[in-house]
Amino acid sequence: MPARSAPGRDDSPAVALGPTSLFLGIGAATGLLPWLTLGLFPVMIIGGALAVVLGLSGVHYARLGIGRMWLAVTGTVLGAIAFAYPFWVFMPLFRFM
């Protein structure tokens, strides 16, 4: 009997959404260090937003049984914190302009 050639649930590209979100979230969250905030400002904004989007997609597919939930949730949380941090730090400066 030949081996099954149809792809399984673990072969879906949706499996990569959680780990991608986690690594983008970690990369964006490194900008939370005070001496790296200004240098990684664009990475925090872009990487954080991408981590949130990919993480929420990963959560959706993890609820369907494709991929890991903890990877997607961790990446989403790190991305959301890294995305919101620059606005939280710099918004008081714009109040005086």
Side-chain angles (χ1 to χ4, degrees):
M1 183 112 186
R4 196 179 87 183
S5 62
R9 293 181 76 99
D10 293 337
D11 297 332
S12 171
V15 174
L17 290 172
T20 304
S21 171
L22 179 65
F23 287 117
L24 282 171
I26 290 172
T30 55
L32 295 175
L33 298 170
W35 54 90
L36 293 176
T37 299
L38 291 177
L40 293 177
F41 186 75
V43 174
M44 291 174 69
I45 300 294
I46 297 169
L50 283 173
V52 169
V53 170
L54 293 176
L56 290 176
S57 299
V59 167
H60 169 72
Y61 283 108
R63 291 187 68 200
L64 297 176
I66 302 171
R68 305 272 185 215
M69 180 69 79
W70 72 271
L71 288 170
V73 169
T74 306
T76 303
V77 169
L78 285 173
I81 291 170
F83 182 74
Y85 181 74
F87 297 105
W88 179 73
V89 169
F90 294 118
M91 273 305 185
L93 298 175
F94 294 119
R95 186 174 46 161
F96 299 113
M97 289 184 167

